[in-house]
Amino acid sequence: MSNAARIAALNDAFRANPTFGTFVLTAGIRANMPQDVTTIINKVRTFKDFNEGDDPYGEHDFGAFDFKGKKIFWKIDYYDRNFGFASPDAADPAVTNRVLTVMYADEY
């Protein structure tokens, strides 16, 4: 399995199971009604619309979709185990903390 394929598999698993990392919702996302927040999180968790423009390296670390007329972005970043620096190897879960941020595009 290539490095990108390994990272994509880890990212897909993380999105499906948020306990594999840290989910962050921006203030704009949190300001929605609870049922809308649940819908947004479920859209992130089940996202499959990857394309070359949004996912040029095939790592499944970014996605975008429309929700009630507004564009939502989600992005996965990779940190070392102490959250001090970038991960030395995003393909190795033993040395990586994944953080997924969900935001409105205008919050980026």
Side-chain angles (χ1 to χ4, degrees):
M1 177 182 287
S2 73
N3 208 41
R6 175 77 176 138
I7 292 169
L10 289 165
N11 287 342
D12 289 344
F14 169 39
R15 284 186 305 103
N17 185 347
T19 64
F20 292 165
T22 302
F23 262 54
V24 176
L25 305 176
T26 61
I29 298 297
R30 289 191 321 269
N32 284 285
M33 298 293 290
Q35 63 268 26
D36 286 344
V37 173
T38 298
T39 299
I40 290 166
I41 291 171
N42 285 336
K43 287 176 87 61
V44 171
R45 291 179 70 194
T46 60
F47 187 86
K48 296 194 184 335
D49 189 23
F50 296 102
N51 61 67
E52 192 172 310
D54 292 340
D55 190 31
Y57 303 107
E59 295 178 348
H60 295 186
D61 61 354
F62 177 86
F65 57 89
D66 291 321
F67 181 75
K68 293 190 173 185
K70 294 184 81 175
K71 181 69 75 178
I72 292 179
F73 291 161
W74 61 265
K75 172 74 173 112
I76 297 175
D77 293 299
Y78 316 104
Y79 295 93
D80 67 11
R81 297 306 288 169
N82 295 318
F83 289 101
F85 301 98
S87 170
D89 181 2
D92 183 355
V95 299
T96 303
N97 282 318
R98 284 178 159 66
V99 176
L100 187 150
T101 303
V102 183
M103 70 196 87
Y104 281 111
D106 62 7
E107 293 180 296
Y108 185 70

